[in-house]
Amino acid sequence: MTSTESRAAEITMTSPVIEQGGRIPYLYTCEGDDISPPLQWSGAPVQTRSFTLICEDPDAPRGTYMQTVELAQAVPTLPELPSGARHGRNSAGDLAYAGPCPPPGKPHRYFFRLYALDTLLNLPPGITRAELEKAMDQHILAQGSIMGTYQHRP
């Protein structure tokens, strides 16, 4: 947690396909089409200049699985999108959304965490989570999250 996270305002996040705490549909996983799910939010402060979205799996056996993605369904796997949004490097080393893909066993939790920032970060595609968090420090105005679960199909 960065020093500004603890005092950040709350953003409400929703999805037409993920109910808070519910199962992530097959379509958005490695066993389906592996496309990014649509997400919406409200409550961002008027001072917001940019957003950062991180998807993480704290139940992953190799530690938190993380990526930065845009919000539309089926975001193209380009380092920089036409909107100017940029992908961070996920834990698999790719510059793209990689849907839930837990090993067989218990369900994993997937947190989509959104941060409203008071600045444009202007970071290159492919940065690491540590680089992103360092750049975000002292710039978080508000945050929100939505969590879904997924269990590998036998």
Side-chain angles (χ1 to χ4, degrees):
M1 177 184 293
T2 64
S3 59
T4 55
E5 276 185 273
S6 59
R7 62 179 191 265
E10 187 71 24
I11 293 175
T12 301
M13 287 190 67
T14 60
S15 173
V17 299
I18 302 171
E19 192 174 311
Q20 180 68 13
R23 182 178 169 85
I24 296 171
Y26 180 79
L27 177 69
Y28 306 102
T29 73
C30 69
E31 296 177 296
D33 289 350
D34 207 15
I35 60 174
S36 57
L39 301 171
Q40 294 86 39
W41 65 89
S42 61
V46 294
Q47 307 93 322
T48 301
R49 300 271 324 275
S50 65
F51 293 96
T52 295
L53 180 68
I54 297 173
C55 176
E56 59 186 344
D57 173 3
D59 304 314
R62 293 180 294 171
T64 298
Y65 181 81
M66 182 282 294
Q67 63 202 359
T68 305
V69 299
E70 194 180 61
L71 305 176
Q73 176 174 296
V75 171
T77 58
L78 303 170
E80 186 165 347
L81 303 174
S83 67
R86 297 178 182 111
H87 281 284
R89 191 164 304 281
N90 65 31
S91 297
D94 299 323
L95 300 178
Y97 174 80
C101 199
K106 69 180 182 101
H108 281 218
R109 298 167 296 151
Y110 294 87
F111 290 87
F112 294 87
R113 301 185 194 278
L114 182 74
Y115 299 91
L117 308 176
D118 65 2
T119 189
L120 294 171
L121 295 180
N122 197 25
L123 299 169
I127 62 167
T128 66
R129 182 174 186 157
E131 292 167 327
L132 176 62
E133 287 180 341
K134 182 178 179 182
M136 287 173 36
D137 191 33
Q138 302 297 317
H139 295 290
I140 298 171
L141 297 171
Q143 60 186 0
S145 68
I146 187 168
M147 186 272 290
T149 63
Y150 191 72
Q151 183 173 14
H152 179 74
R153 289 182 163 189

